[in-house]
Amino acid sequence: MTIAIEVHLDADTALQMAADVRAGLLAEPKELAPKYFYDERGSQLFERITELEEYYPTRAERSILAGRSAEIVSAAGAPRTLVELGSGSASKTRHLLSAMRDAGCLRTYVPVDISEEITYETAESLVGEYPGLAVRGLVCDFEHHLERIPDGAHGRLIAFLGGTVGNLYPADRRAFLARLAALMGPGDRLLLGTDLVKDSARLEAAYDDSEGVTAEFNKNVLEVLNRELGGDFDLDGFEHVARFDADEARMDIRLRSLAEQTVRLDGLDLTVGFAAGEEMRTEISSKFTRERLEAVYEEAGMAMDGWFTDEPGDYALSLARPS
Ligand code: AVJ
């Protein structure tokens, strides 16, 4: 069979969200997890963000893959399997798949994504574009089902692109990378996309664009809570805040309550108050340096094995192996 896709989504997902949002709204300060941004509208808004003049990371990552995939595949030891965490429409992945095909090593693509529909669609198009390719997809929340990734006898390249690792807090990031390291064999390599530290004006513009798309994307999480948890958030009662925290080397993204207000979530049987000016964090997006990333790998039981940046040095793809 050319396409085989396993689905691991369950009733758990909804319960998890309810528990998670309740804890976040009762915490001091309040906080929501960035994974709740991405309903259909949120995913569309993120697509628009990637096309904004100010938002450089997606273009930077694509330019590295477009120019250096052959080098990356060779440095990774000509793997037969490409695993992609958060594969989506796999638009940037084709550069890696083509380089693997040209190197004669391409056998299997393992997309891992939360969306069943897009995973099937992508699998169908890719088997058409790469004759002989086997797709063994996984539909799941990869933070929970990492251990279900199929083995690969001849080396796997595990790609985690888009800078999403930057959304994890240091302790969660370390745990996640350590779990990855534990399931990697000596011939496997991680390919990780990370945004790099740069001047705060450019960073803040990338997360607070002049068209207001990022503000809309941020507020959309309230719409998600209204729909999924029976909430009555008034989106006009909040404003988008995006600041670079230089001490922590990360963007800190929040929603600020414009007035004192009360929000009811029937699905949680919960009423929460917001003070005027109160800020609720919705995302962090960490920015790295090469040295910092080396340390991040080391504490997770990996070692950096390759470093590829775009021309201006805005963004990096790095390779790492289990140590
Ligand atoms: C796709 C999660 C990496 O952190 O830059 C873009 C998400 N948030 N603008 C990022 C995002 C606001 C993005 N990631």
Side-chain angles (χ1 to χ4, degrees):
M1 182 124 84
T2 327
I3 299 179
I5 290 170
E6 270 180 48
V7 182
H8 298 285
L9 292 177
D10 31 43
D12 245 46
T13 319
L15 285 174
Q16 196 121 46
M17 177 184 193
D20 209 30
V21 171
R22 173 188 302 279
L25 291 176
L26 292 173
E28 188 57 58
K30 296 181 179 69
E31 175 153 11
L32 296 172
K35 66 174 162 192
Y36 302 123
F37 283 139
Y38 301 94
D39 66 343
E40 200 172 313
R41 176 160 168 70
S43 301
Q44 282 167 2
L45 286 167
F46 179 66
E47 272 309 305
R48 280 178 59 198
I49 288 175
T50 65
E51 289 155 13
L52 293 167
E53 183 59 39
E54 294 104 321
Y55 193 77
Y56 58 85
T58 310
R59 272 189 301 276
E61 188 177 64
R62 186 174 288 116
S63 85
I64 302 168
L65 288 169
R68 306 186 67 184
S69 279
E71 237 182 294
I72 291 169
V73 163
S74 148
R80 289 196 183 182
T81 301
L82 175 64
V83 177
E84 185 174 19
L85 306 178
S87 41
S89 63
S91 73
K92 289 174 285 193
T93 318
R94 284 174 172 77
H95 294 295
L96 288 169
L97 290 171
S98 298
M100 287 167 72
R101 175 199 56 206
D102 296 347
C105 58
L106 179 64
R107 300 289 184 281
T108 308
Y109 176 54
V110 181
V112 183
D113 200 90
I114 192 83
S115 164
E116 191 168 349
E117 201 183 337
I118 197 143
T119 304
Y120 275 102
E121 274 173 20
T122 305
E124 295 275 351
S125 355
L126 289 177
V127 296
E129 291 169 49
Y130 297 90
L133 179 70
V135 178
R136 295 181 62 188
L138 278 179
V139 174
C140 64
D141 177 343
F142 59 75
E143 260 195 89
H144 295 122
H145 295 97
L146 209 51
E147 284 71 20
R148 305 218 181 230
I149 294 171
D151 300 338
H154 296 274
R156 294 172 298 181
L157 180 58
I158 303 174
F160 188 24
L161 305 178
T164 307
V165 74
N167 292 152
L168 298 174
Y169 281 104
D172 297 333
R173 180 177 68 213
R174 189 184 321 116
F176 178 74
L177 292 177
R179 274 171 69 203
L180 264 180
L183 63 84
M184 286 167 74
D188 294 336
R189 293 291 180 273
L190 173 66
L191 180 68
L192 190 66
T194 47
D195 195 11
L196 301 178
V197 171
K198 57 186 59 63
D199 80 81
S200 59
R202 268 190 76 207
L203 283 168
E204 288 179 352
Y207 290 86
D208 191 6
D209 62 278
S210 53
E211 286 175 51
V213 184
T214 310
E216 229 184 299
F217 171 76
N218 192 7
K219 288 188 193 188
N220 179 62
V221 74
L222 302 179
E223 204 77 270
V224 172
L225 303 197
N226 284 349
R227 187 185 61 240
E228 300 295 327
L229 299 170
D232 66 356
F233 277 101
D234 169 15
L235 272 63
D236 296 328
F238 291 85
E239 69 180 347
H240 172 64
V241 179
R243 277 188 298 258
F244 183 57
D245 178 340
D247 295 329
E248 301 284 355
R250 65 194 186 200
M251 285 302 301
D252 192 332
I253 294 145
R254 302 174 182 205
L255 287 169
R256 182 191 288 136
S257 176
L258 290 169
E260 186 180 328
Q261 53 183 320
T262 297
V263 176
R264 171 74 192 167
L265 292 109
D266 282 337
L268 297 179
D269 192 16
L270 178 71
T271 305
V272 287
F274 284 83
E278 182 177 346
E279 293 181 4
M280 170 168 70
R281 179 182 283 152
T282 50
E283 184 179 47
I284 57 162
S285 190
S286 302
K287 308 303 165 189
F288 298 86
T289 61
R290 181 176 181 156
E291 294 65 36
R292 187 73 201 99
L293 204 53
E294 270 164 352
V296 165
Y297 281 132
E298 197 169 312
E299 66 187 16
M302 293 195 209
M304 194 189 284
D305 221 10
W307 176 259
F308 307 86
T309 70
D310 59 330
E311 197 60 53
D314 285 337
Y315 192 94
L317 284 174
S318 56
L319 280 171
R321 59 178 160 76
S323 53

